[in-house]
Amino acid sequence: MADTVREIERKYEADGAGLPSGGLPDLTGADRIATVAERGAVTLDATYYDTGSRRLARDGITLRRRTGGDDAGWHLKLPVAAHVRDEIRAPLSDTVPRALRGLLRSRVRDAELVPLVRIGTRREVRQLLGADGTVLAEVAVDQVRADRPAGPGRTAEWAEIEVELTPGGDVALLDAVEARLLRAGLRPASAASKAARALRETAPKGERRTAAPEDGTAGPAGAGPVAAGPPTAERTVLRYLARQVTALVELDPAVRRDLPDSVHQMRVATRRLRSALRSYATVLDRSATDPVGTELKWLAAELGVGRDSEVLAARIQEALAALPKELRPGPVRTRLRTWSQAHRKGSRKHLLAVLDGTRYLALLDSLDTLLADPPRARAARRPAAEVLPKAVERDFRRLAGHVETALATPPGPDRDLALHEARKAAKRTRYAAEAARPELGRPARELVKRMTELQELLGDHQDGVVAREALRELAAQGHAAGENAFAYGVLYGREEARAAIRERDLPALWATIPPPALRRGPQGGGTADSGRAGGAR
């Protein structure tokens, strides 16, 4: 079983292989530090693993097998923010633990993880204590020796300081300690991790000494960075797609770890990808992208198996909590909990099987191929400012048609369906504008904002439609079991009233959303074909 530790630390180094001649400065009195306690020395021996192409190093990830100290075992470090990483630990074994391999699957795919560098460290530990004896942080003074375990390479030696917060400390303490270390002649470390520096400094002659960038600009797995150049439609769209592919890959381990909102965010990335491929068909050939879009639709559906039930149950629970006790007779909460568990049963296990499956990995490979060798359509090489507005305006006209249809349809199931289609069209217009925003600026940004407002209104309406269906199901189950189903009827009526309010609000909101003016005509305004369907507002 893997354990996770949130690691917040900063690293420092000095010129040469040692520390400043005066050693570490006195840290007492910095922020809340009252005393510094020596905790002795320990010898650590770690072997770092990566693919032959340094796929993990590109993303600032480290995987090591370490002996020595009180946390011997396998350690996988995933970046969270600057100076913050989650360290996921597993017991010692001869091979990479299955749990850790799963967290790396979206990045390494079927590539072999091999030992690339071995690092021996003699570590002296000092604890920084508050006046009440609380441990605020630990300072590790490391003498490091690195070499390649196989193949040619050099040996490197250096000294570095690690200052790591404990739960009793905070960032202000790190700032205060850093100020003293810098005054003593130390400087922030030149590499984000020991492994990154070791790979750079032990590189044999002829190998690039900087094996991979450490600033997160490398792009998605296997795709490489999107080529620089003039702002063509292709360049702008590919940059947007690359960001979504990166999000997909990075969210994979978060979903496996069941982190909050990770499934939703991964689903959004798949939808953005599919939507952009459809919106920008004049940039990327749909005969090549449609199969990818089909697989993205499949993945979004799989991600929604448990997510939709979870969101629906939360909506009903919230509504139920707002009901006075006298309006919810019978075992309503128990019935809802049983219903929710039945709908979620097996969904997480199923999702993990999807992420471990060959179909998902094939999709990731297809996305990499699309970015590396894009299937250009007729407008790919044309200026972004000319091509992108047309695509966004085309999506907006499609949206306008759906809204007009919904407003003209009498209340009932047909209108519900029309509003759902309008919601999907609003989402597609929003994503198209998001992709165009770097080139079109404020008008695109404003359109994204307005589409978000419209999408939220229509989304709440659709959630109510689904909630009413679930309440009918709950009422039938409760009635069949001899339970009082009154509360479900009350909740159903409230959902109906809420939906009616959303339908009433729609025309007023729609009237405030002007057609997008994204292309500059002779007078700087929008072009004629950017209006609403039928000229209606």
Side-chain angles (χ1 to χ4, degrees):
M1 186 70 176
D3 297 319
T4 301
V5 177
R6 177 60 56 88
E7 179 184 84
I8 305 175
E9 68 176 15
R10 297 181 187 176
K11 297 175 180 286
Y12 305 89
E13 61 188 27
D15 292 323
L19 297 174
S21 56
L24 281 182
D26 182 12
L27 298 177
T28 56
D31 195 63
R32 294 177 287 139
I33 301 172
T35 57
V36 178
E38 302 280 349
R39 295 303 184 211
V42 64
T43 299
L44 309 172
D45 187 358
T47 300
Y48 287 78
Y49 288 71
D50 203 336
T51 65
S53 63
R54 312 284 204 275
R55 183 64 185 92
L56 302 184
R58 275 217 311 274
D59 284 359
I61 295 171
T62 58
L63 173 66
R64 72 187 177 201
R65 182 185 187 277
R66 191 169 78 178
T67 58
D70 58 4
D71 63 347
W74 286 90
H75 303 159
L76 172 62
K77 296 192 179 188
L78 299 172
V80 176
H83 307 299
V84 182
R85 294 188 291 183
D86 277 347
E87 182 175 284
I88 303 161
R89 300 173 177 175
L92 275 176
S93 60
D94 292 335
T95 59
V96 180
R98 181 178 179 181
L100 301 190
R101 287 190 65 88
L103 295 176
L104 297 172
R105 191 164 171 79
S106 66
R107 289 177 165 94
V108 305
R109 317 289 164 83
D110 292 323
E112 184 182 3
L113 289 165
V114 295
L116 292 186
V117 68
R118 183 175 181 180
I119 298 177
T121 304
R122 185 182 185 278
R123 169 168 290 180
E124 297 178 2
V125 179
R126 297 167 172 81
Q127 289 184 333
L128 309 182
L129 308 177
D132 61 354
T134 300
V135 180
L136 305 175
E138 284 193 350
V139 178
V141 181
D142 293 343
Q143 297 292 335
V144 184
R145 178 184 175 89
D147 56 43
R148 303 280 178 114
R154 295 172 291 181
T155 297
E157 294 185 4
W158 70 89
E160 68 178 42
I161 309 295
E162 293 183 2
V163 184
E164 182 175 352
L165 283 183
T166 63
D170 54 31
V171 175
L173 181 136
L174 286 180
D175 292 339
V177 170
E178 179 170 284
R180 296 204 179 186
L181 295 179
L182 297 181
R183 284 199 298 270
L186 292 165
R187 63 174 181 271
S190 59
S193 66
K194 286 183 175 67
R197 180 168 179 176
L199 286 170
R200 183 181 69 209
E201 298 198 5
T202 64
K205 282 188 175 182
E207 179 179 309
R208 291 178 59 190
R209 297 195 62 187
T210 303
E214 297 169 13
D215 59 0
T217 60
V226 176
T232 62
E234 175 190 31
R235 179 189 175 197
T236 303
V237 172
L238 286 179
R239 284 191 179 280
Y240 181 77
L241 295 177
R243 286 196 299 272
Q244 306 316 316
V245 174
T246 297
L248 199 64
V249 169
E250 291 180 349
L251 284 163
D252 177 292
V255 169
R256 293 173 185 270
R257 294 167 62 198
D258 203 18
L259 297 185
D261 205 38
S262 57
V263 173
H264 172 64
Q265 292 302 326
M266 189 174 185
R267 195 181 187 191
V268 168
T270 64
R271 286 173 166 170
R272 283 184 164 125
L273 281 164
R274 180 168 177 257
S275 182
L277 292 176
R278 297 173 71 190
S279 293
Y280 294 106
T282 62
V283 179
L284 298 175
D285 186 355
R286 283 193 63 170
S287 66
T289 64
D290 275 355
V292 179
T294 297
E295 293 304 283
L296 288 167
K297 182 179 181 180
W298 160 77
L299 179 59
E302 296 289 8
L303 290 166
V305 169
R307 168 72 182 178
D308 289 345
S309 296
E310 180 182 336
V311 171
L312 177 58
R315 182 183 179 100
I316 297 176
Q317 286 168 352
E318 182 181 352
L320 184 62
L323 279 185
K325 187 175 181 179
E326 61 270 18
L327 296 184
R328 41 185 168 90
V332 182
R333 291 185 182 278
T334 301
R335 170 63 57 190
L336 177 58
R337 184 164 53 250
T338 301
W339 176 89
S340 177
Q341 290 173 348
H343 278 70
R344 290 202 308 262
K345 185 178 180 181
S347 61
R348 175 155 178 78
K349 183 178 180 180
H350 173 76
L351 178 56
L352 293 177
V354 167
L355 298 183
D356 284 334
T358 57
R359 185 174 181 179
Y360 169 65
L361 293 189
L363 170 59
L364 295 182
D365 288 342
S366 296
L367 290 168
D368 288 348
T369 299
L370 187 149
L371 294 176
D373 186 18
R376 298 178 180 90
R378 64 182 184 278
R381 302 292 195 182
R382 287 160 58 187
E386 173 189 334
V387 175
L388 273 53
K390 293 180 181 179
V392 177
E393 290 162 2
R394 183 169 55 249
D395 282 344
F396 185 86
R397 289 195 301 273
R398 179 173 170 273
L399 163 64
H402 283 296
V403 173
E404 301 297 343
T405 297
L407 293 178
T409 303
D414 288 342
R415 175 181 275 193
D416 293 341
L417 180 59
L419 289 171
H420 183 46
E421 292 300 317
R423 177 198 183 192
K424 292 190 290 185
K427 196 178 297 185
R428 177 166 163 176
T429 305
R430 172 189 165 190
Y431 294 156
E434 280 181 354
R437 190 164 50 186
E439 297 303 329
L440 304 185
R442 183 176 177 179
R445 185 167 60 249
E446 182 63 24
L447 182 59
V448 169
K449 178 181 176 183
R450 303 315 303 273
M451 290 299 99
T452 301
E453 294 172 359
L454 180 61
Q455 181 185 328
E456 288 176 351
L457 183 149
L458 295 172
D460 186 63
H461 182 277
Q462 175 62 17
D463 289 348
V465 171
V466 177
R468 294 203 302 273
E469 293 175 358
L471 287 166
R472 282 197 296 268
E473 181 182 339
L474 283 163
Q477 291 178 357
H479 179 74
E483 300 166 1
N484 192 320
F486 176 78
Y488 308 117
V490 174
L491 292 178
Y492 187 99
R494 292 192 172 190
E495 286 289 0
E496 269 193 326
R498 184 170 173 176
I501 292 172
R502 295 292 173 265
E503 292 180 29
R504 187 186 65 211
D505 291 344
L506 176 59
L509 175 59
W510 180 241
T512 68
I513 302 176
L518 303 175
R519 287 180 282 169
R520 293 184 177 180
Q523 305 301 322
T527 56
D529 63 349
S530 64
R532 298 176 187 271
R537 291 189 60 79

Short mmCIF file of all heavy atoms in Angstrom, two decimals, residues 15 82 113 122 142 210 247 288 300 314 341 430 480 493 497 506 519 527:
data_model
loop_
_atom_site.label_atom_id
_atom_site.label_comp_id
_atom_site.label_asym_id
_atom_site.label_seq_id
_atom_site.Cartn_x
_atom_site.Cartn_y
_atom_site.Cartn_z
N ASP A 15 29.22 27.45 -4.23
CA ASP A 15 30.21 27.23 -5.26
C ASP A 15 31.07 26.02 -4.89
O ASP A 15 31.39 25.80 -3.72
CB ASP A 15 31.10 28.47 -5.43
CG ASP A 15 30.34 29.64 -6.01
OD1 ASP A 15 29.48 29.40 -6.88
OD2 ASP A 15 30.58 30.77 -5.57
N ALA A 82 5.37 25.24 -7.12
CA ALA A 82 6.78 25.57 -6.89
C ALA A 82 7.18 25.16 -5.48
O ALA A 82 6.52 25.54 -4.50
CB ALA A 82 6.99 27.07 -7.09
N LEU A 113 11.07 1.20 -17.41
CA LEU A 113 11.72 2.08 -16.44
C LEU A 113 13.06 1.45 -16.07
O LEU A 113 13.11 0.31 -15.59
CB LEU A 113 10.84 2.25 -15.20
CG LEU A 113 9.57 3.08 -15.42
CD1 LEU A 113 8.60 2.90 -14.26
CD2 LEU A 113 9.92 4.56 -15.59
N ARG A 122 25.54 11.56 2.26
CA ARG A 122 25.76 11.60 3.72
C ARG A 122 25.01 12.81 4.23
O ARG A 122 25.33 13.96 3.89
CB ARG A 122 27.24 11.70 4.08
CG ARG A 122 27.47 11.62 5.60
CD ARG A 122 28.92 11.77 5.98
NE ARG A 122 29.10 11.56 7.41
CZ ARG A 122 28.89 12.50 8.35
NH1 ARG A 122 28.50 13.72 7.97
NH2 ARG A 122 29.08 12.24 9.63
N ASP A 142 23.60 17.95 2.98
CA ASP A 142 23.91 16.75 2.21
C ASP A 142 25.22 16.86 1.47
O ASP A 142 25.47 17.83 0.74
CB ASP A 142 22.80 16.49 1.17
CG ASP A 142 21.47 16.11 1.81
OD1 ASP A 142 21.47 15.73 2.99
OD2 ASP A 142 20.44 16.21 1.12
N THR A 210 22.09 18.98 -20.59
CA THR A 210 20.76 19.27 -20.07
C THR A 210 19.82 18.27 -20.70
O THR A 210 19.37 18.44 -21.83
CB THR A 210 20.32 20.71 -20.41
OG1 THR A 210 21.29 21.60 -19.88
CG2 THR A 210 18.96 21.00 -19.82
N ALA A 247 -2.82 18.43 -19.78
CA ALA A 247 -3.73 18.32 -18.63
C ALA A 247 -4.23 16.89 -18.47
O ALA A 247 -4.30 16.36 -17.35
CB ALA A 247 -4.90 19.28 -18.81
N ALA A 288 -9.01 12.75 -40.42
CA ALA A 288 -7.99 12.19 -39.52
C ALA A 288 -8.35 12.39 -38.06
O ALA A 288 -8.02 11.56 -37.21
CB ALA A 288 -6.63 12.82 -39.81
N ALA A 300 -14.64 10.44 -22.22
CA ALA A 300 -15.46 11.35 -21.42
C ALA A 300 -16.64 10.60 -20.81
O ALA A 300 -17.00 10.83 -19.64
CB ALA A 300 -15.96 12.50 -22.29
N ALA A 314 -25.39 14.48 -4.78
CA ALA A 314 -25.10 15.68 -3.97
C ALA A 314 -26.20 16.72 -4.13
O ALA A 314 -26.59 17.38 -3.16
CB ALA A 314 -23.75 16.26 -4.38
N GLN A 341 -25.28 4.57 -3.55
CA GLN A 341 -24.25 3.53 -3.52
C GLN A 341 -24.44 2.52 -4.64
O GLN A 341 -23.47 2.06 -5.25
CB GLN A 341 -24.27 2.83 -2.16
CG GLN A 341 -23.77 3.72 -1.02
CD GLN A 341 -23.96 3.07 0.34
OE1 GLN A 341 -24.67 2.06 0.47
NE2 GLN A 341 -23.36 3.66 1.37
N ARG A 430 -17.77 28.25 -26.30
CA ARG A 430 -16.83 28.69 -25.26
C ARG A 430 -15.44 28.12 -25.49
O ARG A 430 -14.43 28.84 -25.42
CB ARG A 430 -17.36 28.25 -23.89
CG ARG A 430 -16.38 28.47 -22.75
CD ARG A 430 -16.90 27.81 -21.49
NE ARG A 430 -15.86 27.69 -20.48
CZ ARG A 430 -15.98 26.99 -19.36
NH1 ARG A 430 -17.11 26.33 -19.11
NH2 ARG A 430 -14.99 26.92 -18.49
N ALA A 480 -42.60 0.87 -3.62
CA ALA A 480 -42.59 -0.59 -3.72
C ALA A 480 -42.17 -1.24 -2.40
O ALA A 480 -42.59 -2.36 -2.09
CB ALA A 480 -41.66 -1.04 -4.84
N GLY A 493 -41.38 18.71 -7.17
CA GLY A 493 -42.05 19.98 -7.42
C GLY A 493 -41.09 21.15 -7.33
O GLY A 493 -41.17 22.10 -8.14
N ALA A 497 -40.08 23.87 -10.27
CA ALA A 497 -40.14 25.32 -10.10
C ALA A 497 -38.79 25.96 -10.42
O ALA A 497 -38.73 27.03 -11.05
CB ALA A 497 -40.56 25.64 -8.66
N LEU A 506 -33.80 32.68 -19.15
CA LEU A 506 -33.01 32.51 -20.37
C LEU A 506 -33.18 33.65 -21.38
O LEU A 506 -32.18 34.18 -21.88
CB LEU A 506 -33.32 31.16 -21.02
CG LEU A 506 -32.63 30.89 -22.36
CD1 LEU A 506 -31.12 30.95 -22.22
CD2 LEU A 506 -33.07 29.54 -22.93
N ARG A 519 -13.68 39.79 -35.81
CA ARG A 519 -12.89 40.20 -36.98
C ARG A 519 -13.04 41.70 -37.18
O ARG A 519 -14.14 42.23 -37.11
CB ARG A 519 -13.34 39.46 -38.24
CG ARG A 519 -12.92 38.02 -38.27
CD ARG A 519 -13.40 37.35 -39.54
NE ARG A 519 -14.83 37.03 -39.45
CZ ARG A 519 -15.55 36.64 -40.50
NH1 ARG A 519 -14.99 36.58 -41.70
NH2 ARG A 519 -16.83 36.34 -40.35
N THR A 527 -18.07 41.49 -38.55
CA THR A 527 -18.52 41.28 -39.92
C THR A 527 -19.96 40.83 -39.93
O THR A 527 -20.51 40.40 -38.92
CB THR A 527 -17.64 40.23 -40.61
OG1 THR A 527 -17.66 39.05 -39.83
CG2 THR A 527 -16.22 40.72 -40.73
#
